[in-house]
Amino acid sequence: MNRIETEFSSELQVIRLDVRASLGAEMSKRLGCQVVPTFILFDGVGGEEWRSVGWLDIDRVRSSLKQMR
């Protein structure tokens, strides 16, 4: 995640949730996350573009950001 935050700092905001904390647990339920880690990419208005469970493909992030431009 640090690499993604650094590489795409001007294009996206990374939000990390601790599912053991009350806010993280609540958001996890709302977002339907059943496995940790779960990565969700949202568009500029909050719609879910896609999600990845367990592993994040940085090339997919690059490709998605390119399409959103």
Side-chain angles (χ1 to χ4, degrees):
M1 288 308 302
N2 292 338
R3 180 176 170 194
I4 289 172
E5 285 179 301
T6 301
E7 184 173 338
F8 304 109
S9 63
S10 65
E11 297 178 71
L12 61 81
Q13 179 180 11
V14 174
I15 300 172
R16 298 173 193 229
L17 296 173
D18 179 354
V19 297
R20 296 169 294 184
S22 59
L23 176 60
E26 176 62 29
M27 291 306 299
S28 179
K29 286 180 191 175
R30 286 186 185 189
L31 295 169
C33 299
Q34 298 177 355
V35 177
V36 175
T38 297
F39 304 94
I40 306 172
L41 182 70
F42 295 97
D43 63 20
V45 293
E48 184 176 322
E49 288 290 316
W50 53 263
R51 66 177 58 206
S52 176
V53 176
W55 178 72
L56 183 61
D57 180 355
I58 195 163
D59 291 329
R60 186 174 185 193
V61 175
R62 282 186 189 106
S63 173
S64 295
L65 291 174
K66 194 175 199 178
Q67 289 176 0
M68 288 181 183
R69 289 182 190 140

